[in-house]
Amino acid sequence: MQTACQALQHQRGRRQFNKLRNLLRDARHDCIMFFNEFQMLSYLPRERGESLEKWQTRSIYNASVWYYNHFSGQMPIVMVSDDEESIQQLGSETEGVFVISFKNYLDNFWPDLKAAHELLDSILQSRRERESESQEHSGKEYPEHVALEALEAGIKSRRYIQGVLNVNKYRAQVEAFVRLQGASHKEKDLRTDVLIYGNKARNRAIHGDVVAVELLPQSEWKGRTSALCENEAEEKASGEAYSEPVPTGRVVGIIQKNWRDYVVTFPSKEEIQSPGKTTQKILVTPWDYRIPKIRVSTQQAEALQDFRVVVRIDSWESTSVYPNGHFVRVLGRIGDLEGEIQTILVENSISVSPFSEAQMCEMPVVLPEEPWKVSPEEELKRVDLRETHLVFSIDPKGCEDVDDALSVRTLLNGNLELGVHIADVTHFVAANSYTDLEARARATTYYLADRRYDMLPTVLSANLCSLLGLVDRYAVSVMWELDETSYEIRKVWFSRSILRSSYKLFYEAAQALLDGDLTAAAEIPELQELDENTRKQKLDELVWAIGKLTDIARCVRAKRDSHGALELEGVEVRVQLDDKKNIDDLVPRQPLEVHETIAECMILANHWVAKKIWESFPYQALLRQHPPPRQEFFAELRECAGAKGFTIDTQSNKALADSLDRAVDPSDPLVNKLLRSMATQAMSNALYFSTGSRPEEEFAHYGLALDKYTHFTSPIRRYADVVVHRLLLAATSKEDRALGTKENLFGNKELEELCNHINNRNRAAQHSQKQSTELFQCMYFKDKDPERDEHCIANGVIYSIRTNGVLIFVPRYGIKGAAYLKNKEGLVLSGQSDKSCSWKPGSLQRFPDRIITAPTAGEPVTLKLFDHVTVQISVQSSRCHAVTIRLQITSCQPYKLSEMEPSHSHHVSKTDLVKEVTRTAEEAQLAQDKAQAKPLEEEYKQYRQSKGASLYCLLEEIKDLALLDVSADSGA
């Protein structure tokens, strides 16, 4: 019923309403919504003075009676309500229309659903406890919230500010910020988030809620602390230093509650001390530091104390210090891998149940005796590339879901043809099919450290849609004709295709071939069964193709660089498992030039597809924007760069890119790596959007320096790409005047809602991947003795100074963490004669670029930004929260200086060579453009940087230079 849905929205908020609406829209549930308020015979006007709840109950009952009569009394109607008065009054009013409580409904219709009965009992117990508590406690712990109508009026009048509450997970007891929404804050000249200091000012709002905030008088504004914190319960640690006061406010109302399922831990047996009846009221501690403790009523507290448990919040009354909730289910034992993985999934609202029978029935049947084949009908519709193009893929080792493949060849006119070929997922996944609806709900494949949860069934993701070697596959291809020397794009076309990938390469093998190491051919299975001559011929073709792709990618990158494309840095760590799934090692991702080659080809395809679908569907195309970052987020980057004498200009992406290129310390390549990592952290998130929802000037992608961008190249693992494929195919079929698929496209409003859902799921995927990597990092060190095991000692680099310690990056393991210079006992780090460190009484003095300890005994310790130190890595266990890595400085000297990070020096040297290529290529291109405008003259020779007659020859020469071993000259 429409009225029932609106009642849910009114009582439980928009989040629960959206959940219900999505369930109704899901064709798998065979549900429809009856718009009873728009049907003349079922509509019931609201009486004067009647409460909204009473009117909604009467409306639902009236519509139920109409429905019963509409079916001529052939089917009884059951209306479920928890309003006892309504049950008594309406229960026997109309024969055939039954009004019963939810408990009676479960008892009579679903007596065997044990879990549902237990859940209902938990909810009813929680409600009884809440009602009892509100009668016992008349005093208020928090002020009442302002009514929703008054909040909306206050936001319009600019008295209140609307935003999302973000609790600082490192100082969850005292610091939260409201990230502003809408235009009201611009009119108030607020350029920063609003600080909400303390739980009282938070006024029962929970992390993620949309709230209304009232600014405090400027005399009551507070500053942020710059001290390291371990989420201690006390609200103020001794000796903390605060920044300049920032806009500070208090929450006056909650506009939208974004409550979800929370993973909690029950207190241990020793902590449960309340005797008698109060033992049923238990304060449980959420796994997420940002969520307050929750009071639940249960008789199973002792049995559940060793488990991770899911609870839901029911309410938070102004008379209660803590919110009230109820028990939902058990996840697993504390500390067990599966239980901790399930915790990560629940905390990120990720549901990954197996694909249903209805979905699997839509899949093609693939049997060993009946392998899948290309159909004759599709051969007539598609461009066949199997005999004409050398197609190959380059992916991580062991990759099963191969979305993309590449090709490059010389045309008869001498120009080049570049092809990016993407798996044609939409051929197998029809719009609005069961598989499509499930993929839409998941929105992405979730990659954890030791596993993945696919967006599509395995028969598609790892087989029929995966562009594996030496098998026929359907694809959607983007093809460019490029000038043979300048690589300028002459024309582009899009088509459905059939291809047979000749090679399924992995990155390291492709890089080896690019570097001239032909021994890597032994790791390419497609070459093994060939005779020697054929093998050599095929290998030469493949080496030429990889080299040519790299040359093209360098020139494409040069063009983006000239517009301000950023080369950012992220910390990527691969968990290396042995055959028994035990953690063998933590391996930081080594950057290779072939990574950049593949990425550049994918970026090129995404850019051209974005232009195409926007031209065809200007108000309903799915694009991806990356808004410019807020300037205050660059403060730490500028401060750190200044400590090394570098100036970072952040006024535009071009200025930032040039500044980062100049911020190089020849003696320490990690300086530039860390500065780029800080720039990455300052960035806004890139987001999907519908082109009808914002003006064209907001379409741009800041990081890639492109005016339009989308995601087209990974439809196996991203639903956004599936939508883009349908848009592209509709656009191209429209040109061919064939039957289009426009009826399967989303309108602007639907597409914007879908984009919000996908953005939300992408954030969940990123958070879960990061949290699972951190879990495995801890598991790797958990059983190691930090005092004796050499794996627990590593080199670290200081990248931030705080009032009581420093933040350190450990390159060997990709770990970032805090190292305290003052411990809980008030002792500070002291230097010893053997360069080691110990704890002594003393004090700390902090400066912008350094921190100095002043112990009463031993040597003072001075630590500066970008200093290399030796750290000891250990694991800090927690019963209620995630285990964490703990770093302790054991020496102010670098660990194993002679062996420190050899690979980074080599990579930076090579990167410099690639940049030199791009700069020289630009100069040569400018010269070539001038030559086309007038005959070649003597002064033109000053532009030539090479002995060759063309840009192609120039790139070949510099490529040879890039392959030289220059690490000996780099100071490594």
Side-chain angles (χ1 to χ4, degrees), residues 836-859:
S836 65
C837 297
S838 63
W839 296 102
K840 301 287 183 184
S843 60
L844 293 177
Q845 192 173 10
R846 181 205 178 194
F847 300 93
D849 65 337
R850 72 190 66 199
I851 187 169
I852 302 172
T853 69
T856 56
E859 295 293 322

PDB file of all heavy atoms in Angstrom, residues 836-859:
ATOM      1  N   SER A 836      70.188   3.199  19.714  1.00  0.00           N
ATOM      2  CA  SER A 836      68.866   2.654  20.014  1.00  0.00           C
ATOM      3  C   SER A 836      68.099   3.646  20.875  1.00  0.00           C
ATOM      4  O   SER A 836      68.645   4.673  21.294  1.00  0.00           O
ATOM      5  CB  SER A 836      68.994   1.307  20.725  1.00  0.00           C
ATOM      6  OG  SER A 836      69.607   1.486  21.988  1.00  0.00           O
ATOM      7  N   CYS A 837      66.833   3.330  21.162  1.00  0.00           N
ATOM      8  CA  CYS A 837      65.982   4.231  21.938  1.00  0.00           C
ATOM      9  C   CYS A 837      65.373   3.503  23.125  1.00  0.00           C
ATOM     10  O   CYS A 837      65.126   2.290  23.068  1.00  0.00           O
ATOM     11  CB  CYS A 837      64.861   4.795  21.054  1.00  0.00           C
ATOM     12  SG  CYS A 837      65.437   5.797  19.673  1.00  0.00           S
ATOM     13  N   SER A 838      65.091   4.252  24.191  1.00  0.00           N
ATOM     14  CA  SER A 838      64.422   3.700  25.368  1.00  0.00           C
ATOM     15  C   SER A 838      63.518   4.769  25.955  1.00  0.00           C
ATOM     16  O   SER A 838      63.564   5.933  25.546  1.00  0.00           O
ATOM     17  CB  SER A 838      65.454   3.235  26.393  1.00  0.00           C
ATOM     18  OG  SER A 838      66.213   4.345  26.860  1.00  0.00           O
ATOM     19  N   TRP A 839      62.662   4.392  26.909  1.00  0.00           N
ATOM     20  CA  TRP A 839      61.711   5.313  27.522  1.00  0.00           C
ATOM     21  C   TRP A 839      62.279   5.895  28.815  1.00  0.00           C
ATOM     22  O   TRP A 839      62.745   5.161  29.678  1.00  0.00           O
ATOM     23  CB  TRP A 839      60.390   4.612  27.809  1.00  0.00           C
ATOM     24  CG  TRP A 839      59.679   4.130  26.573  1.00  0.00           C
ATOM     25  CD1 TRP A 839      59.636   2.859  26.094  1.00  0.00           C
ATOM     26  CD2 TRP A 839      58.934   4.932  25.655  1.00  0.00           C
ATOM     27  NE1 TRP A 839      58.909   2.799  24.943  1.00  0.00           N
ATOM     28  CE2 TRP A 839      58.459   4.069  24.644  1.00  0.00           C
ATOM     29  CE3 TRP A 839      58.629   6.284  25.582  1.00  0.00           C
ATOM     30  CZ2 TRP A 839      57.686   4.505  23.580  1.00  0.00           C
ATOM     31  CZ3 TRP A 839      57.862   6.728  24.531  1.00  0.00           C
ATOM     32  CH2 TRP A 839      57.393   5.854  23.532  1.00  0.00           C
ATOM     33  N   LYS A 840      62.233   7.228  28.932  1.00  0.00           N
ATOM     34  CA  LYS A 840      62.737   7.929  30.119  1.00  0.00           C
ATOM     35  C   LYS A 840      61.768   9.058  30.478  1.00  0.00           C
ATOM     36  O   LYS A 840      61.032   9.548  29.616  1.00  0.00           O
ATOM     37  CB  LYS A 840      64.127   8.535  29.855  1.00  0.00           C
ATOM     38  CG  LYS A 840      65.209   7.530  29.446  1.00  0.00           C
ATOM     39  CD  LYS A 840      65.657   6.674  30.611  1.00  0.00           C
ATOM     40  CE  LYS A 840      66.786   5.736  30.185  1.00  0.00           C
ATOM     41  NZ  LYS A 840      67.173   4.830  31.289  1.00  0.00           N
ATOM     42  N   PRO A 841      61.777   9.511  31.734  1.00  0.00           N
ATOM     43  CA  PRO A 841      60.983  10.704  32.071  1.00  0.00           C
ATOM     44  C   PRO A 841      61.479  11.915  31.279  1.00  0.00           C
ATOM     45  O   PRO A 841      62.674  12.028  30.994  1.00  0.00           O
ATOM     46  CB  PRO A 841      61.238  10.880  33.571  1.00  0.00           C
ATOM     47  CG  PRO A 841      61.722   9.550  34.050  1.00  0.00           C
ATOM     48  CD  PRO A 841      62.458   8.939  32.902  1.00  0.00           C
ATOM     49  N   GLY A 842      60.585  12.807  30.912  1.00  0.00           N
ATOM     50  CA  GLY A 842      60.992  13.989  30.157  1.00  0.00           C
ATOM     51  C   GLY A 842      59.809  14.695  29.535  1.00  0.00           C
ATOM     52  O   GLY A 842      58.657  14.468  29.895  1.00  0.00           O
ATOM     53  N   SER A 843      60.097  15.546  28.556  1.00  0.00           N
ATOM     54  CA  SER A 843      59.061  16.356  27.911  1.00  0.00           C
ATOM     55  C   SER A 843      59.285  16.377  26.404  1.00  0.00           C
ATOM     56  O   SER A 843      60.326  15.926  25.906  1.00  0.00           O
ATOM     57  CB  SER A 843      59.081  17.791  28.465  1.00  0.00           C
ATOM     58  OG  SER A 843      60.340  18.376  28.230  1.00  0.00           O
ATOM     59  N   LEU A 844      58.288  16.927  25.677  1.00  0.00           N
ATOM     60  CA  LEU A 844      58.350  17.023  24.217  1.00  0.00           C
ATOM     61  C   LEU A 844      58.223  18.471  23.788  1.00  0.00           C
ATOM     62  O   LEU A 844      57.543  19.265  24.450  1.00  0.00           O
ATOM     63  CB  LEU A 844      57.209  16.221  23.564  1.00  0.00           C
ATOM     64  CG  LEU A 844      57.218  14.706  23.695  1.00  0.00           C
ATOM     65  CD1 LEU A 844      55.961  14.138  23.043  1.00  0.00           C
ATOM     66  CD2 LEU A 844      58.453  14.114  23.026  1.00  0.00           C
ATOM     67  N   GLN A 845      58.856  18.797  22.672  1.00  0.00           N
ATOM     68  CA  GLN A 845      58.698  20.120  22.076  1.00  0.00           C
ATOM     69  C   GLN A 845      58.479  19.923  20.582  1.00  0.00           C
ATOM     70  O   GLN A 845      59.290  19.303  19.896  1.00  0.00           O
ATOM     71  CB  GLN A 845      59.943  20.984  22.336  1.00  0.00           C
ATOM     72  CG  GLN A 845      59.720  22.451  21.994  1.00  0.00           C
ATOM     73  CD  GLN A 845      60.888  23.327  22.423  1.00  0.00           C
ATOM     74  OE1 GLN A 845      61.942  22.819  22.816  1.00  0.00           O
ATOM     75  NE2 GLN A 845      60.718  24.628  22.334  1.00  0.00           N
ATOM     76  N   ARG A 846      57.340  20.460  20.103  1.00  0.00           N
ATOM     77  CA  ARG A 846      57.001  20.246  18.695  1.00  0.00           C
ATOM     78  C   ARG A 846      57.164  21.521  17.896  1.00  0.00           C
ATOM     79  O   ARG A 846      56.767  22.604  18.337  1.00  0.00           O
ATOM     80  CB  ARG A 846      55.548  19.760  18.582  1.00  0.00           C
ATOM     81  CG  ARG A 846      55.153  19.492  17.128  1.00  0.00           C
ATOM     82  CD  ARG A 846      53.667  19.619  16.941  1.00  0.00           C
ATOM     83  NE  ARG A 846      53.283  19.408  15.554  1.00  0.00           N
ATOM     84  CZ  ARG A 846      52.121  19.708  15.051  1.00  0.00           C
ATOM     85  NH1 ARG A 846      51.204  20.261  15.809  1.00  0.00           N
ATOM     86  NH2 ARG A 846      51.836  19.486  13.786  1.00  0.00           N
ATOM     87  N   PHE A 847      57.724  21.394  16.671  1.00  0.00           N
ATOM     88  CA  PHE A 847      57.838  22.473  15.699  1.00  0.00           C
ATOM     89  C   PHE A 847      57.143  22.013  14.423  1.00  0.00           C
ATOM     90  O   PHE A 847      56.826  20.829  14.282  1.00  0.00           O
ATOM     91  CB  PHE A 847      59.313  22.802  15.434  1.00  0.00           C
ATOM     92  CG  PHE A 847      60.056  23.244  16.663  1.00  0.00           C
ATOM     93  CD1 PHE A 847      60.747  22.328  17.436  1.00  0.00           C
ATOM     94  CD2 PHE A 847      60.053  24.582  17.055  1.00  0.00           C
ATOM     95  CE1 PHE A 847      61.422  22.724  18.576  1.00  0.00           C
ATOM     96  CE2 PHE A 847      60.729  24.990  18.193  1.00  0.00           C
ATOM     97  CZ  PHE A 847      61.412  24.059  18.959  1.00  0.00           C
ATOM     98  N   PRO A 848      56.901  22.923  13.482  1.00  0.00           N
ATOM     99  CA  PRO A 848      56.181  22.508  12.268  1.00  0.00           C
ATOM    100  C   PRO A 848      56.830  21.344  11.527  1.00  0.00           C
ATOM    101  O   PRO A 848      56.119  20.486  10.995  1.00  0.00           O
ATOM    102  CB  PRO A 848      56.181  23.785  11.410  1.00  0.00           C
ATOM    103  CG  PRO A 848      56.257  24.898  12.403  1.00  0.00           C
ATOM    104  CD  PRO A 848      57.109  24.387  13.522  1.00  0.00           C
ATOM    105  N   ASP A 849      58.172  21.292  11.460  1.00  0.00           N
ATOM    106  CA  ASP A 849      58.840  20.262  10.666  1.00  0.00           C
ATOM    107  C   ASP A 849      59.627  19.265  11.499  1.00  0.00           C
ATOM    108  O   ASP A 849      60.330  18.421  10.953  1.00  0.00           O
ATOM    109  CB  ASP A 849      59.772  20.910   9.638  1.00  0.00           C
ATOM    110  CG  ASP A 849      60.916  21.665  10.305  1.00  0.00           C
ATOM    111  OD1 ASP A 849      60.759  22.056  11.477  1.00  0.00           O
ATOM    112  OD2 ASP A 849      61.957  21.843   9.649  1.00  0.00           O
ATOM    113  N   ARG A 850      59.553  19.341  12.834  1.00  0.00           N
ATOM    114  CA  ARG A 850      60.330  18.428  13.669  1.00  0.00           C
ATOM    115  C   ARG A 850      59.716  18.337  15.057  1.00  0.00           C
ATOM    116  O   ARG A 850      58.891  19.159  15.455  1.00  0.00           O
ATOM    117  CB  ARG A 850      61.782  18.904  13.760  1.00  0.00           C
ATOM    118  CG  ARG A 850      61.990  20.156  14.605  1.00  0.00           C
ATOM    119  CD  ARG A 850      63.394  20.700  14.452  1.00  0.00           C
ATOM    120  NE  ARG A 850      63.615  21.183  13.092  1.00  0.00           N
ATOM    121  CZ  ARG A 850      64.817  21.376  12.559  1.00  0.00           C
ATOM    122  NH1 ARG A 850      65.893  21.122  13.270  1.00  0.00           N
ATOM    123  NH2 ARG A 850      64.934  21.820  11.325  1.00  0.00           N
ATOM    124  N   ILE A 851      60.135  17.316  15.803  1.00  0.00           N
ATOM    125  CA  ILE A 851      59.730  17.162  17.198  1.00  0.00           C
ATOM    126  C   ILE A 851      60.954  16.728  17.984  1.00  0.00           C
ATOM    127  O   ILE A 851      61.760  15.906  17.506  1.00  0.00           O
ATOM    128  CB  ILE A 851      58.569  16.147  17.319  1.00  0.00           C
ATOM    129  CG1 ILE A 851      58.032  16.125  18.747  1.00  0.00           C
ATOM    130  CG2 ILE A 851      58.967  14.759  16.849  1.00  0.00           C
ATOM    131  CD1 ILE A 851      56.727  15.350  18.899  1.00  0.00           C
ATOM    132  N   ILE A 852      61.120  17.282  19.177  1.00  0.00           N
ATOM    133  CA  ILE A 852      62.320  17.034  19.981  1.00  0.00           C
ATOM    134  C   ILE A 852      61.892  16.504  21.343  1.00  0.00           C
ATOM    135  O   ILE A 852      61.005  17.068  21.998  1.00  0.00           O
ATOM    136  CB  ILE A 852      63.154  18.312  20.151  1.00  0.00           C
ATOM    137  CG1 ILE A 852      63.567  18.872  18.784  1.00  0.00           C
ATOM    138  CG2 ILE A 852      64.384  18.063  21.014  1.00  0.00           C
ATOM    139  CD1 ILE A 852      64.227  20.234  18.847  1.00  0.00           C
ATOM    140  N   THR A 853      62.508  15.396  21.765  1.00  0.00           N
ATOM    141  CA  THR A 853      62.270  14.900  23.115  1.00  0.00           C
ATOM    142  C   THR A 853      63.376  15.431  24.029  1.00  0.00           C
ATOM    143  O   THR A 853      64.533  15.554  23.617  1.00  0.00           O
ATOM    144  CB  THR A 853      62.280  13.361  23.159  1.00  0.00           C
ATOM    145  OG1 THR A 853      63.606  12.883  22.931  1.00  0.00           O
ATOM    146  CG2 THR A 853      61.347  12.775  22.106  1.00  0.00           C
ATOM    147  N   ALA A 854      63.008  15.731  25.270  1.00  0.00           N
ATOM    148  CA  ALA A 854      63.980  16.224  26.261  1.00  0.00           C
ATOM    149  C   ALA A 854      63.909  15.325  27.493  1.00  0.00           C
ATOM    150  O   ALA A 854      63.243  15.647  28.490  1.00  0.00           O
ATOM    151  CB  ALA A 854      63.677  17.678  26.629  1.00  0.00           C
ATOM    152  N   PRO A 855      64.580  14.159  27.459  1.00  0.00           N
ATOM    153  CA  PRO A 855      64.536  13.242  28.597  1.00  0.00           C
ATOM    154  C   PRO A 855      65.431  13.722  29.736  1.00  0.00           C
ATOM    155  O   PRO A 855      66.399  14.458  29.509  1.00  0.00           O
ATOM    156  CB  PRO A 855      65.055  11.927  28.002  1.00  0.00           C
ATOM    157  CG  PRO A 855      65.948  12.347  26.876  1.00  0.00           C
ATOM    158  CD  PRO A 855      65.373  13.627  26.332  1.00  0.00           C
ATOM    159  N   THR A 856      65.099  13.303  30.951  1.00  0.00           N
ATOM    160  CA  THR A 856      65.937  13.658  32.103  1.00  0.00           C
ATOM    161  C   THR A 856      67.222  12.849  32.104  1.00  0.00           C
ATOM    162  O   THR A 856      68.209  13.247  32.730  1.00  0.00           O
ATOM    163  CB  THR A 856      65.167  13.407  33.405  1.00  0.00           C
ATOM    164  OG1 THR A 856      64.726  12.036  33.423  1.00  0.00           O
ATOM    165  CG2 THR A 856      63.947  14.316  33.490  1.00  0.00           C
ATOM    166  N   ALA A 857      67.240  11.705  31.415  1.00  0.00           N
ATOM    167  CA  ALA A 857      68.450  10.883  31.293  1.00  0.00           C
ATOM    168  C   ALA A 857      68.550  10.392  29.857  1.00  0.00           C
ATOM    169  O   ALA A 857      67.548  10.156  29.201  1.00  0.00           O
ATOM    170  CB  ALA A 857      68.389   9.705  32.261  1.00  0.00           C
ATOM    171  N   GLY A 858      69.777  10.266  29.364  1.00  0.00           N
ATOM    172  CA  GLY A 858      69.969   9.849  27.977  1.00  0.00           C
ATOM    173  C   GLY A 858      70.008  11.046  27.040  1.00  0.00           C
ATOM    174  O   GLY A 858      69.882  12.205  27.455  1.00  0.00           O
ATOM    175  N   GLU A 859      70.151  10.754  25.757  1.00  0.00           N
ATOM    176  CA  GLU A 859      70.282  11.797  24.747  1.00  0.00           C
ATOM    177  C   GLU A 859      68.917  12.244  24.244  1.00  0.00           C
ATOM    178  O   GLU A 859      68.007  11.427  24.099  1.00  0.00           O
ATOM    179  CB  GLU A 859      71.105  11.274  23.564  1.00  0.00           C
ATOM    180  CG  GLU A 859      72.544  10.946  23.896  1.00  0.00           C
ATOM    181  CD  GLU A 859      73.333  12.189  24.256  1.00  0.00           C
ATOM    182  OE1 GLU A 859      73.096  13.239  23.625  1.00  0.00           O
ATOM    183  OE2 GLU A 859      74.165  12.104  25.174  1.00  0.00           O
TER     184      GLU A 859
END
